Amino acid sequence: MDFNYSDMQQMLLDSAGKLIADTYTLEDIRHQRTIANGLNEKNWAQFAELGWLALPIPEDAGGLGCGLEDVVVLSTALGRGLAVEPYVSTVVVGGHIVGALADEDARNALLGQVATGAARIALAHGEPGERFGDGGARSTQAVPSGNGFALTGRKMLVLDAPSATHIIVSATLDDGSMGLFLAPRDASGISDESYALVDGAAASDLFLDGVQVDAGALIASGSAAETLLSEASDRAAIALMAQAVGAMEGCNDVSAEYIKERKQFGQPIGKFQALQHIMADMFVSTHQARSMVYYALAHLDASPEDRQAAVSAAKVLVGTAAQLVSRSGIQLHGGYGVTDEYIVSHYYRRLLALEKLFGDIDHHVRRLAVHMFDRADA
Amino acid sequence: MHFELDPELQAFREEVRAFVRDNLPEDMKARQMAAGSIFCSHDDERAWAKILAKKGWQVYSWPVELGGCGWNAMKSFVFEDELYKGFAPPLSFNTLHMIGPIIYKLGSQEQKDHFLPLMRHGDVSWAQGFSEPGSGSDLASLRTRADLVGDKYVINGQKIWTSGAHEADWGFFLVKTDTTCKPQLGMSFLLVDMKTPGITVRTIPQINNDEHHLCEVFLENVEVPAGNLIGEAGKGWTYAKMLLEGERTGSSYIFWNKREMRRLLDMARAEKLNGNPIAQDPAFRARLAAIQAELTALEWSVLRVLADEEFTYGTAAASSVLKVRGSELQHAITEAQVDLIGEKSLRVYSVHDLLSDAGTLWPDHVVNRTNMALLTRAATIFGGAKQVQKNIIAKAAFGL
Ligand SMILES: Cc1cc2nc3c(=O)[nH]c(=O)nc-3n(C[C@H](O)[C@H](O)[C@H](O)COP(=O)(O)OP(=O)(O)OC[C@H]3O[C@@H](n4cnc5c(N)ncnc54)[C@H](O)[C@@H]3O)c2cc1C
């Protein structure tokens, strides 16, 4: 085992650290929510230029062919910077699912566009009335039509859809199984309601009314589609957990700095043991959270069951840590903690989102418990 | 010991409930329901105060001869409980429990004649100017000073977190009038017309994107008639402490906690997990039941204080119990509300349009829950931060 960064990872981290320090000031972060579609074009162009968007994209599609561990390293820096660019939607989820497109030319063309920043992909899976996609068969229908399919249904809380160029839609096929379809975001028949999220990202509800796609738009169906979706979701969860760890480390640092500076009763409040113990608890949680990101990463290529169990265990732990750290961070800041003008409140909001996305603590506690108690081979 | 509430109180409860039902304007109630906040808009607070004033209930806790209702603690408890339950805007804590009592106990005849009728009729709103950028938990270190020049005080300094200062007519400020003695002995209590030249108010954008509550107040050569001094110069600290000790149960937010617990249970019945109401899910049931048990304990701890139980330890410890657990419950309840709606909690609804549409695919009960949960982080900070409360308990209960 070796938990140290490779030279390449260290370089990646350093360059990310620099960009983050310059581009993600409090002012930039406060500005983010005023961007109508949630995408900061300038930052996205930088992501492309630095090769971040190409990181896990296969080399024959113009990518760098790196593994998810490199994405994790980058993600810790993105998390610290409170970056809400659609990186996970496009590169981690989109990149993985589009990688299964049968048509090699179409696949490489789109992945190439992902790598250059020209394409952005959003996953349209959740539907009204469910929690974390727990609803079983999709209500959205894919009906044979022309040389392909017509998609009809309603998709809720499609993360990063307002700035996407493409969407991946899950829908029920004629035989009752699930299919994953690729469609242009502006295909005719799609209408939307878009809104901002608590961390400054944006999402849409999509209303699909007979959206016509050709046969090649079906990326996968049946168990292959289920597998692909499950892999992509677990990868997304790992990348977002790495962001959460970065955000927690950032939150800890600003909180420690604050209580060293802030004076009450004639001394820095950091001298009060009550606050030192709060900081120590934040540290313990964050340290444990990072361990679990590595643990989940180590199970990426395990059996689907073992991978899911590992990701769920990690998601429970990282989510719980995120809550403790972000809540304590505010408490240590006193009144300043509940203003928009101190970064700690932005850490709070981002960590709230990171705890919820791709399954909250409760969701993953349940999934982990099923693996512990209900598996035939347990 | 006996644990029964006076049976007459049930009839009174129904009277208050009927009054709220018949007199609380629908739109006001809808706004309060959506916001659910411990705060409300200036306009709603004022309008509701006038409705209560007409009934004679606006300053219910004041002495009868000043327009109060003369109810005992339990009756007052039932009264506020029903107002909250009915989603009435919160009563003005400043008027009822802070500056009102200060003026009728310590004010000059002139101050009484001027302010008490205004407050009784709901015609004046107040801001509390205690905290400063460098003086929060350590209030005694405050630096805003008022110098007596002829028959005027000239105030210079800065206040922060002054809730509602941008809309308030008047402020009551704790200022330094003598810098030569021990800080606690050099403080005075001044009433300041917020329209006085030299006052600048800046609203502070909050974690929930609201900019209409917290304020910074800058005071530059603000001239205030010497007659606006409360009581004696140099006694400000004693008066401020008196205020905080006079009202021992408000910090529990018991009525708010009970109402938001009810909302939480309603949400659990409406939200679904795997197609079934969350209210039927064992894990969520266990979590909500544990919160309910804490809430019940808090209510009984409040009742013990209200019924004047003679504690063997300092009463400050019993009051701090209410503040610690009350604020923790505010967290627990709003956190559970957020968790109940799962990923739907991430959508932003404008705090400036409380009646905004949930969205075509979204249930109404999600609107504004996250905004409220975000602001509720402040519960363990304002009015004596949690760590400071624990210091008080350690000292008052155990002499540590
Ligand atoms: C929503 C809101 C509304 C408010 N409304 C008003 C208002 O209307 N008028 C007004 O005057 N003020 C108001 N306040 C101010 C409030 O009273 C202060 O925020 C509070 O006193 C804490 O002070 P502070 O924010 O400076 O935090 P600090 O005192 O700087 O505390 C920061 C942290 O240090 C801890 N700490 C401080 N001292 C100790 C110690 N001795 N031992 C251990 N830990 C310690 C605290 O617990 C906290 O975690 C409001 C505040 C908020 C958040």
Side-chain angles (χ1 to χ4, degrees):
Chain A
M1 274 190 174
D2 179 5
F3 290 100
N4 295 309
Y5 297 132
S6 68
D7 290 345
M8 182 290 217
Q9 288 171 335
Q10 190 59 54
M11 264 167 55
L12 181 63
L13 202 56
D14 292 345
S15 74
K18 246 184 89 209
L19 179 79
I20 294 295
D22 295 344
T23 331
Y24 291 85
T25 63
L26 177 59
E27 214 174 300
D28 296 312
I29 290 160
R30 293 186 67 199
H31 171 70
Q32 168 66 33
R33 63 165 170 267
T34 65
I35 305 173
N37 70 357
L39 180 73
N40 184 322
E41 304 262 4
K42 224 177 92 222
N43 290 354
W44 193 247
Q46 288 266 21
F47 279 31
E49 199 174 307
L50 289 163
W52 297 352
L53 303 177
L55 218 50
I57 305 295
E59 280 167 295
D60 53 3
L64 297 171
C66 295
L68 194 65
E69 62 276 15
D70 301 318
V71 170
V72 157
V73 170
L74 173 65
S75 296
T76 56
L78 296 179
R80 179 180 272 269
L82 293 172
V84 292
E85 276 69 22
Y87 187 83
V88 170
S89 291
T90 295
V91 179
V92 179
V93 177
H96 188 74
I97 296 178
V98 169
L101 256 184
D103 181 336
E104 189 180 334
D105 291 342
R107 180 177 74 226
N108 285 344
L110 183 52
L111 289 176
Q113 288 182 322
V114 166
T116 63
R120 283 176 300 276
I121 304 167
L123 174 65
H125 176 65
E127 297 185 344
E130 14 171 55
R131 296 171 77 79
F132 309 109
D134 68 356
R138 299 296 87 191
S139 299
T140 301
Q141 299 292 320
V143 186
S145 158
N147 76 336
F149 301 87
L151 309 176
T152 298
R154 301 175 304 174
K155 294 291 179 178
M156 202 166 152
L157 229 172
V158 181
L159 182 64
D160 301 320
S163 66
T165 56
H166 295 75
I167 53 173
I168 293 166
V169 181
S170 57
T172 300
L173 294 158
D174 259 4
D175 64 0
S177 74
M178 185 181 77
L180 290 172
F181 295 87
L182 181 68
R185 168 72 179 80
D186 59 2
S188 84
I190 303 180
S191 56
D192 67 274
E193 284 177 20
S194 297
Y195 38 85
L197 301 184
V198 69
D199 56 357
S204 307
D205 298 344
L206 299 178
F207 301 82
L208 287 69
D209 183 12
V211 176
Q212 184 67 40
V213 293
D214 60 28
L218 178 59
I219 303 169
S221 62
S223 65
E226 304 279 358
T227 300
L228 204 52
L229 186 64
S230 159
E231 287 171 357
S233 303
D234 283 349
R235 287 171 160 266
I238 291 172
L240 291 173
M241 285 191 279
Q243 289 196 20
V245 167
M248 285 186 247
E249 289 169 351
C251 183
N252 290 349
D253 287 352
V254 299
S255 300
E257 220 169 284
Y258 183 80
I259 67 171
K260 281 184 202 165
E261 288 290 317
R262 172 76 173 165
K263 289 202 175 84
Q264 290 289 275
F265 304 100
Q267 55 187 315
I269 57 174
K271 291 266 181 240
F272 297 124
Q273 221 161 48
L275 303 196
Q276 292 173 358
H277 285 194
I278 291 176
M279 284 266 26
D281 286 336
M282 293 161 78
F283 182 84
V284 169
S285 292
T286 306
H287 190 87
Q288 293 271 84
R290 188 179 267 273
S291 301
M292 284 310 265
V293 172
Y294 294 152
Y295 173 78
L297 202 49
H299 286 76
L300 193 62
D301 298 321
S303 71
E305 288 79 12
D306 287 345
R307 185 197 70 228
Q308 288 176 13
V311 166
S312 285
K315 200 76 173 62
V316 169
L317 203 108
V318 174
T320 309
Q323 292 181 337
L324 179 130
V325 165
S326 59
R327 291 167 185 172
S328 304
I330 289 185
Q331 184 66 26
L332 292 172
H333 279 72
Y336 297 96
V338 295
T339 72
D340 197 54
E341 296 176 330
Y342 275 69
I343 196 136
V344 71
S345 76
H346 297 269
Y347 278 123
Y348 185 92
R349 286 171 274 183
R350 179 62 176 154
L351 284 167
L352 172 64
L354 290 171
E355 186 260 322
K356 293 279 178 264
L357 293 173
F358 291 91
D360 67 356
I361 296 170
D362 174 71
H363 177 82
H364 285 286
V365 160
R366 289 166 199 275
R367 202 171 82 160
L368 178 59
V370 168
H371 284 284
M372 289 163 58
F373 293 111
D374 303 341
R375 258 171 72 179
D377 60 348
Chain B
M1 279 186 175
H2 78 99
F3 297 132
E4 289 74 41
L5 277 180
D6 183 345
E8 271 174 30
L9 286 179
Q10 191 49 38
F12 178 64
R13 188 179 276 287
E14 272 146 35
E15 183 190 348
V16 180
R17 190 174 302 174
F19 175 81
V20 174
R21 190 186 57 226
D22 299 340
N23 292 281
L24 178 62
E26 277 305 318
D27 58 327
M28 200 185 281
K29 176 175 175 175
R31 278 191 293 276
Q32 200 53 33
M33 238 166 138
S37 165
I38 55 169
F39 310 115
C40 76
S41 78
H42 178 258
D43 291 348
D44 280 351
E45 183 177 300
R46 281 291 269 274
W48 179 239
K50 289 196 132 328
I51 292 167
L52 288 174
K54 227 185 263 162
K55 175 82 179 167
W57 285 352
Q58 151 68 357
V59 290
Y60 78 91
S61 57
W62 288 11
V64 178
E65 61 278 17
L66 299 175
C69 298
W71 299 331
N72 64 18
M74 293 300 177
K75 200 162 175 180
S76 303
F77 181 89
V78 166
F79 176 64
E80 288 216 33
D81 198 24
E82 280 304 317
L83 293 192
Y84 265 90
K85 202 185 273 180
F87 286 99
L91 301 169
S92 165
F93 195 80
N94 281 337
T95 293
L96 284 177
H97 304 297
M98 303 286 277
I99 190 62
I102 277 286
I103 291 181
Y104 67 65
K105 285 183 191 155
L106 302 160
S108 64
Q109 196 56 46
E110 224 181 318
Q111 288 166 349
K112 289 181 190 168
D113 291 346
H114 181 69
F115 289 111
L116 295 182
L118 284 176
M119 285 192 256
R120 195 160 53 237
H121 296 121
D123 281 330
V124 59
S125 52
W126 293 90
Q128 178 198 321
F130 289 6
S131 308
E132 297 185 4
S135 308
S137 299
D138 180 16
L139 190 59
S141 68
L142 66 84
R143 294 214 305 247
T144 296
R145 57 186 291 165
D147 299 303
L148 190 60
V149 181
D151 59 354
K152 288 190 172 113
Y153 280 105
V154 181
I155 314 177
N156 280 288
Q158 185 192 341
K159 296 289 174 181
I160 194 170
W161 317 122
T162 328
S163 302
H166 61 311
E167 291 170 322
D169 305 304
W170 282 81
F172 52 102
F173 286 80
L174 204 52
V175 294
K176 212 152 226 186
T177 43
D178 186 350
T179 50
T180 59
C181 53
K182 199 171 158 238
Q184 287 86 340
L185 301 178
M187 278 190 220
S188 300
F189 212 102
L190 275 180
L191 307 181
V192 182
D193 184 339
M194 292 301 287
K195 285 182 287 297
T196 316
I199 296 181
T200 314
V201 177
R202 183 184 82 95
T203 54
I204 303 172
Q206 296 164 201
I207 185 172
N208 61 350
N209 296 337
D210 196 350
E211 302 212 11
H212 290 95
H213 181 72
L214 292 177
C215 297
E216 263 179 307
V217 179
F218 302 89
L219 304 114
E220 206 184 328
N221 293 322
V222 177
E223 295 185 6
V224 173
N228 286 13
L229 178 75
I230 289 281
E232 290 173 46
K235 286 257 173 84
W237 186 254
T238 319
Y239 301 157
K241 279 189 76 171
M242 212 175 84
L243 276 187
L244 303 175
E245 280 157 16
E247 216 295 320
R248 293 176 296 156
T249 59
S251 68
S252 67
Y253 283 94
I254 182 64
F255 313 116
W256 185 94
N257 275 317
K258 284 173 70 179
R259 186 189 70 200
E260 291 307 319
M261 186 70 199
R262 277 190 290 273
R263 187 204 298 267
L264 177 59
L265 299 184
D266 287 342
M267 288 168 69
R269 293 183 187 103
E271 277 289 317
K272 294 214 159 89
L273 176 75
N274 294 322
N276 298 314
I278 277 193
Q280 284 166 24
D281 172 70
F284 267 106
R285 283 162 80 103
R287 177 171 172 188
L288 301 197
I291 299 175
Q292 179 63 56
E294 278 294 348
L295 178 60
T296 305
L298 180 71
E299 184 166 18
W300 278 67
S301 292
V302 167
L303 292 172
R304 288 171 63 195
V305 172
L306 291 179
D308 285 325
E309 178 177 336
E310 288 168 24
F311 297 107
T312 52
Y313 37 83
T315 35
S319 300
S320 287
V321 166
L322 304 185
K323 172 68 189 173
V324 169
R325 266 299 185 275
S327 57
E328 286 175 349
L329 266 167
Q330 286 178 266
H331 283 177
I333 291 170
T334 51
E335 286 159 8
Q337 289 183 353
V338 164
D339 289 345
L340 265 181
I341 56 177
E343 67 269 51
K344 294 194 292 293
S345 62
L346 300 184
R347 179 171 178 164
V348 170
Y349 292 94
S350 167
V351 274
H352 302 306
D353 176 15
L354 288 173
L355 304 183
S356 57
D357 183 39
T360 309
L361 305 179
W362 296 64
D364 287 336
H365 63 246
V366 302
V367 179
N368 228 26
R369 298 292 46 85
T370 304
N371 285 330
M372 186 169 88
L374 289 173
L375 189 59
T376 300
R377 297 323 301 176
T380 46
I381 294 166
F382 62 70
K386 180 159 145 182
Q387 288 67 37
V388 174
Q389 296 296 336
K390 290 188 179 177
N391 291 347
I392 293 171
I393 291 173
K395 191 167 173 197
F398 304 110
L400 294 169

